[in-house]
């Protein structure tokens, strides 16, 4: 029986509103699992070392892993969904801005700024930086202000990837922080219906931005680092959260997301095939992003709205995926920074000669790199991140001045671990 979606989404995602039932914990777990999928996809893409194989089975596996840069899109959709839900459900609270910004800062800033301190303050005390690294250090102000992605677009160069120092992947953290900075005011000012229209406009702006920025000569992947070129992922996640707070019941939401997900999956395969075969000139590349983002949004919605025993909840609630989801922030930050070290201890060519199999060498490299990244992320969690996260209890959104328009005063606070 359909329930009001505001009620259901608070129950499904927060795990706070009513004492953490089994169903609530499973739905929170599903989103953590989805986060785990995203970070593993990104990591394996980097660790794969461009592997290809003539055998159809391995070619398919390597081809799928080779799309791992899409994992960042999954993160954007998740962030848009969860952050918009938090903001919308707390927009009547007495400390709306202070609670949100304090909680986000406690989660994001400690690790981010500790890394910058280590790279730009501590490291130069122990060894001289190479000329490339010195040039990168002169651009560090962009990173300290979460504008690293803008710097790479403006300079049309990967300025934060120099020698053994690799901070290029911080571009996605910059986009998310820019979203965190601007979106709360937008959610506070506008109604749910207006916010849906704003999300639709942002999705259109992203498509136009990608087309324009590529036309003016900005090279890939720098063109894809521009904030407005990637805002559609955040907007689609936000739109899903806002639709969930309308009148649509969870059964209908699940059914329609499942159907739309199948359609978008088929369309995405067709677009990828068209790109590979060079059909339709360059048109498919401009269509690929919104279609895959729609697919990821549908997967997220299905994982949240599916009934007990549904395939999505079963898959994404797997304990091993939730394990990676828990440490996803540290994994994302450290795995790419450690790549120069990985090239020394598990070089692809050396592994291939020693093991006598290219496929086995790729697999061993992925396992070793993932394990070492996990060690760094777990250490970061217990030595640093966990202690700041515990301070969030001092910044809980205050009691609403009046009930939210839907009549549901449940506050969505949970599952925002990264």
């Amino acid at each position: 029986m359909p329930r009001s979606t505001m009620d259901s989404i608070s129950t499904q995602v927060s795990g706070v509103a009513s004492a953490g039932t089994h169903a609530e914990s499973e739905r929170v777990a599903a989103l953590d699992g989805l986060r785990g999928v995203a970070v593993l996809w990104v990591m394996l893409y980097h660790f794969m070392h461009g592997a290809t194989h003539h055998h159809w089975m391995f070619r398919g596996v390597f081809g799928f892993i080779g799309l791992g840069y899409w994992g960042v899109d999954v993160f954007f959709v998740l962030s848009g969904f969860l952050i918009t839900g938090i903001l919308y459900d707390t927009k009547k609270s007495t400390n709306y801005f202070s609670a949100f910004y304090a909680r986000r800062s406690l989660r994001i800033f400690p690790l981010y700024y500790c890394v910058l301190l280590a790279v730009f303050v501590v490291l130069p005390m122990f060894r001289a930086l190479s000329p490339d690294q010195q040039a990168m250090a002169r651009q560090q102000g962009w990173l300290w202000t979460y504008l690293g992605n803008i710097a790479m677009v403006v300079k049309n160069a990967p300025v934060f990837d120099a020698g053994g120092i690799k901070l290029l992947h911080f571009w996605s953290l910059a986009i998310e922080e820019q979203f965190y900075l601007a979106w709360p005011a937008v959610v506070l000012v506008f109604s749910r219906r207006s916010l849906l229209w704003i999300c639709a406009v942002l999705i259109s702006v992203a498509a136009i931005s990608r087309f324009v920025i590529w036309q003016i000569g900005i090279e890939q992947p720098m063109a894809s680092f521009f904030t407005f070129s990637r805002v559609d992922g955040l907007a689609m996640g936000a739109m899903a959260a806002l639709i969930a707070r309308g009148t649509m019941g969870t059964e209908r939401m699940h059914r329609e997301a499942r159907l739309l997900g199948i359609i978008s999956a088929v369309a995405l395969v067709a677009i990828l095939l068209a790109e590979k075969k060079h059909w339709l000139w360059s048109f498919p590349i401009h269509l690929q992003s919104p279609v895959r983002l729609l697919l990821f949004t549908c997967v997220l919605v299905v994982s949240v709205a599916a009934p007990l025993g549904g395939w999505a909840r079963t898959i994404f609630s797997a304990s091993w995926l939730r394990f990676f989801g828990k440490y996803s922030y540290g994994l994302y930050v450290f795995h790419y920074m450690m790549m120069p070290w990985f090239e020394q201890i598990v070089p692809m060519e050396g592994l291939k000669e020693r093991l006598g199999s290219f496929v086995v060498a790729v697999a061993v490299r992925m396992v070793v790199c993932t394990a070492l990244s996990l060690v760094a992320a777990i250490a970061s969690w217990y030595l640093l991140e966990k202690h700041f996260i515990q301070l969030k209890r001092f910044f809980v959104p205050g009691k609403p001045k009046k009930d939210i328009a839907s009549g549901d005063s449940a506050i969505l606070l949970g599952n925002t671990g990264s």
Side-chain angles (χ1 to χ4, degrees), residues 18-297:
S18 45
T21 66
H22 174 68
E24 289 164 355
S25 64
E26 270 206 338
R27 292 176 189 264
V28 172
L31 294 183
D32 276 335
L34 189 58
R35 187 180 286 117
V37 169
V39 75
L40 280 171
W41 204 5
V42 172
M43 289 168 59
L44 294 181
Y45 163 67
H46 286 138
F47 299 156
M48 186 177 67
H49 200 71
T52 57
H53 202 277
H54 67 275
H55 191 281
W56 68 268
M57 182 176 67
F58 293 120
R59 187 168 64 245
V61 172
F62 290 157
F64 177 76
I65 295 175
L67 298 173
Y69 57 93
W70 288 1
V72 176
D73 290 325
V74 178
F75 278 125
F76 285 159
V77 170
L78 272 167
S79 290
F81 179 79
L82 291 168
I83 295 304
T84 302
I86 292 170
L87 292 171
Y88 187 84
D89 292 342
T90 62
K91 66 187 295 183
K92 299 298 183 181
S93 62
T94 55
N95 57 344
Y96 172 78
F97 285 111
S98 60
F100 176 79
Y101 286 129
R103 292 172 68 85
R104 284 290 84 201
S105 298
L106 289 169
R107 181 64 190 104
I108 302 299
F109 287 175
L111 176 56
Y112 184 87
Y113 284 118
C114 278
V115 168
L116 296 188
L117 282 169
V119 170
F120 295 117
V121 178
V122 178
L123 181 62
M125 294 179 180
F126 293 92
R127 69 172 178 84
L129 300 181
S130 69
D132 286 347
Q133 292 169 349
Q134 291 175 14
M136 173 181 170
R138 288 193 290 270
Q139 306 295 328
Q140 64 179 281
W142 295 92
L143 292 173
W144 290 95
T145 54
Y146 276 97
L147 294 172
N149 66 314
I150 304 298
M152 289 188 284
V153 174
V154 170
K155 300 177 184 298
N156 198 15
V159 293
F160 301 114
D161 197 344
I165 300 177
K166 302 179 80 68
L167 298 177
L168 183 146
H169 61 311
F170 277 24
W171 70 269
S172 63
L173 304 181
I175 290 178
E176 291 214 7
E177 191 61 31
Q178 292 157 23
F179 173 69
Y180 298 153
L181 183 64
W183 196 238
V186 177
V187 173
L188 181 65
V189 170
F190 293 97
S191 67
R192 189 184 71 89
R193 184 180 295 275
S194 297
L195 288 169
L196 286 169
W197 279 107
I198 291 172
C199 289
V201 169
L202 289 174
I203 293 170
S204 301
V205 166
I208 296 170
S209 173
R210 282 191 296 271
F211 180 80
V212 170
I213 202 167
W214 291 334
Q215 294 301 312
I216 63 176
I218 303 297
E219 297 179 1
Q220 285 285 18
M222 266 55 71
S224 65
F225 295 161
F226 186 49
T227 305
F228 285 105
S229 296
R230 302 303 287 262
V231 74
D232 46 355
L234 294 160
M236 284 197 186
M239 184 175 281
L242 293 165
I243 291 173
R245 283 155 177 80
T247 58
M248 184 184 295
T250 52
E251 289 181 10
R252 181 184 170 192
M253 184 179 180
H254 174 259
R255 183 173 63 252
E256 295 191 1
R258 185 173 56 185
L259 176 61
L260 195 55
I262 293 171
I263 294 172
S264 58
V266 172
L268 183 58
V269 170
I271 291 169
L272 291 174
L273 181 61
E275 288 181 11
K276 184 176 181 180
K277 299 296 184 180
H278 303 290
W279 298 337
L280 302 177
W281 189 50
S282 63
F283 179 68
I285 196 170
H286 303 298
L287 201 59
Q288 184 202 107
S289 182
V291 173
R292 73 170 182 256
L293 288 169
L294 178 60
L295 173 60
F296 297 154
T297 304

Side-chain angles (χ1 to χ4, degrees), residues 246-384:
T247 58
M248 184 184 295
T250 52
E251 289 181 10
R252 181 184 170 192
M253 184 179 180
H254 174 259
R255 183 173 63 252
E256 295 191 1
R258 185 173 56 185
L259 176 61
L260 195 55
I262 293 171
I263 294 172
S264 58
V266 172
L268 183 58
V269 170
I271 291 169
L272 291 174
L273 181 61
E275 288 181 11
K276 184 176 181 180
K277 299 296 184 180
H278 303 290
W279 298 337
L280 302 177
W281 189 50
S282 63
F283 179 68
I285 196 170
H286 303 298
L287 201 59
Q288 184 202 107
S289 182
V291 173
R292 73 170 182 256
L293 288 169
L294 178 60
L295 173 60
F296 297 154
T297 304
C298 290
V299 171
L300 184 152
V301 170
V302 169
S303 69
V304 169
L308 280 170
W311 67 267
R313 285 178 62 179
T314 300
I315 292 173
F316 295 123
S317 295
S319 58
W320 68 276
L321 282 179
R322 288 187 281 118
F323 175 78
F324 282 98
K326 177 179 179 180
Y327 302 111
S328 59
Y329 182 37
L331 283 169
Y332 184 80
V333 167
F334 288 119
H335 87 278
Y336 192 71
M337 292 179 62
M338 297 169 70
M339 288 291 288
W341 184 49
F342 294 151
E343 293 298 333
Q344 295 179 14
I345 64 173
V346 280
M348 183 60 69
E349 292 303 319
L351 283 175
K352 181 181 176 181
E353 292 178 7
R354 188 174 303 175
L355 299 172
S357 168
F358 178 72
V359 172
V360 174
V362 173
V364 169
R365 175 182 165 85
M366 288 180 174
V367 170
V368 172
C369 293
T370 300
L372 293 174
S373 300
L374 192 57
V375 169
I378 292 174
S380 170
W381 173 266
Y382 284 102
L383 296 176
L384 178 69

